[in-house]
Amino acid sequence: MGFLKDKVVVITGGASGIGRVSAKIFGAENANVIVWDLKTEKVSDEIHIYNVDVRNSDSVQEATRIAIEKFGQIDVLINNAGITQDASLLKMSDQQWRDVLDVNLTGVFNCTKSVAPHMIEEKFGRIINTSSVVGLYGNYGQTNYAASKAGVIGMTKVWARELAPKGITVNAVAPGFISTNMMKTIPKKILDTIIEKTPVGRLGIPEDVANVYLFLASEKASFINGAVISVDGGYVG
Ligand code: NAP
């Protein structure tokens, strides 16, 4: 316990799913946890939750200002907020394309651009971006989501080069299929196929991903930079 004692950790999309479990796990390690989400439903007494829309750079900058005012620094940024709006290519509307890119790609850009200057000042930081197996292998009906999650890998690789000389590591996690609200719309037949294609033989749970966030945020991961870590039970699309 106390792995991240007194570190200040911002988790976007931390009001539900993987982010919510991560907030609790980081809290248990005595980190000061700040959640930025559209929802402000309480996660636990110790977790500071703010209404922040990652698509909006003003909203993100104001939340950064509040975090710095309260805690003096941000040590870890987990760009975890993400959405899906699925449709096959010919049926995908311009709006669906834009909505997903706005949250999953522009949101990651906004948060990192806002927080990085404070990490640079401290000469320390850990940035963890949430990609997906879909960003690595593609998936039927997810042109927008695959583009956003492949884009997250691209940004991770750029920032790993730009920021590591300033004491900041930047890595991506690529979860496979994890049981959260995001999976609720997937029909059982498709879930069974996904499990068949997963050598570990099950869907992931939020803890599977949260524990990798925790490791990447820790001192033990200080020589990992620009990596994309799959957390997918060995899924092969
Ligand atoms: P989730 O349960 O839907 O949680 C995502 C959270 O992000 C929600 O609380 C959501 O709020 C919030 N959010 C959405 N738009 C936002 C915005 N503009 N600003 C701030 N917060 C926003 O999803 P999850 O399954 O935990 O996914 C977490 C991350 O893992 C995502 O990046 C996702 O793409 C990635 N991932 C998930 C899986 C999976 O199988 N679950 C697989 C691979 C990658 P609302 O609920 O109000 O929209």
Side-chain angles (χ1 to χ4, degrees):
M1 297 294 248
F3 212 37
L4 287 164
K5 191 167 168 2
D6 298 332
K7 294 279 188 226
V8 181
V9 180
V10 169
I11 305 176
T12 71
S16 62
I18 295 167
R20 187 180 179 86
V21 169
S22 302
K24 290 184 180 166
I25 287 182
F26 277 79
E29 296 294 338
N30 294 330
N32 294 306
V33 180
I34 301 168
V35 164
W36 294 348
D37 202 298
L38 295 177
K39 296 189 292 281
T40 50
E41 192 186 307
K42 187 165 139 181
V43 179
S44 75
D45 283 343
E46 302 74 33
I47 290 160
H48 309 265
I49 184 157
Y50 296 93
N51 178 270
V52 180
D53 183 345
V54 298
R55 293 170 295 189
N56 180 327
S57 59
D58 290 341
S59 171
V60 170
Q61 275 163 31
E62 176 60 7
T64 306
R65 193 192 61 72
I66 292 168
I68 296 295
E69 195 176 84
K70 194 169 172 59
F71 294 104
Q73 70 208 57
I74 296 172
D75 301 293
V76 180
L77 169 65
I78 307 182
N79 282 309
N80 165 84
I83 61 165
T84 53
Q85 291 263 340
D86 297 348
S88 57
L89 173 63
L90 302 188
K91 291 184 181 153
M92 185 167 287
S93 66
D94 292 355
Q95 193 64 49
Q96 284 175 313
W97 167 259
R98 274 196 297 270
D99 283 350
V100 169
L101 271 288
D102 281 353
V103 178
N104 297 8
L105 197 60
T106 306
V108 175
F109 169 77
N110 286 341
C111 293
T112 307
K113 191 173 170 201
S114 180
V115 168
H118 301 282
M119 292 179 166
I120 291 170
E121 218 171 282
E122 295 293 322
K123 300 187 176 60
F124 178 85
R126 295 267 191 273
I127 297 171
I128 301 162
N129 297 326
T130 310
S131 179
S132 166
V133 277
V134 173
L136 293 168
Y137 308 123
N139 196 25
Y140 188 95
Q142 293 198 305
T143 299
N144 50 3
Y145 188 75
S148 71
K149 294 301 187 180
V152 164
I153 292 174
M155 293 196 293
T156 301
K157 303 267 178 198
V158 172
W159 298 337
R161 287 170 188 258
E162 291 184 357
L163 299 178
K166 301 174 194 303
I168 303 160
T169 62
V170 188
N171 291 291
V173 175
F177 294 87
I178 313 293
S179 298
T180 66
N181 282 342
M182 196 173 262
M183 299 283 291
K184 281 201 173 135
T185 52
I186 301 183
K188 182 171 180 316
K189 208 173 136 198
I190 295 183
L191 287 180
D192 288 344
T193 312
I194 290 169
I195 293 169
E196 264 169 41
K197 288 182 175 179
T198 304
V200 165
R202 64 170 173 86
L203 294 177
I205 55 173
E207 286 79 356
D208 292 323
V209 181
N211 285 326
V212 178
Y213 289 164
L214 184 65
F215 171 65
L216 287 174
S218 77
E219 281 301 322
K220 294 177 195 297
S222 59
F223 201 55
I224 302 178
N225 186 41
V228 183
I229 308 214
S230 293
V231 185
D232 61 6
Y235 178 83
V236 268

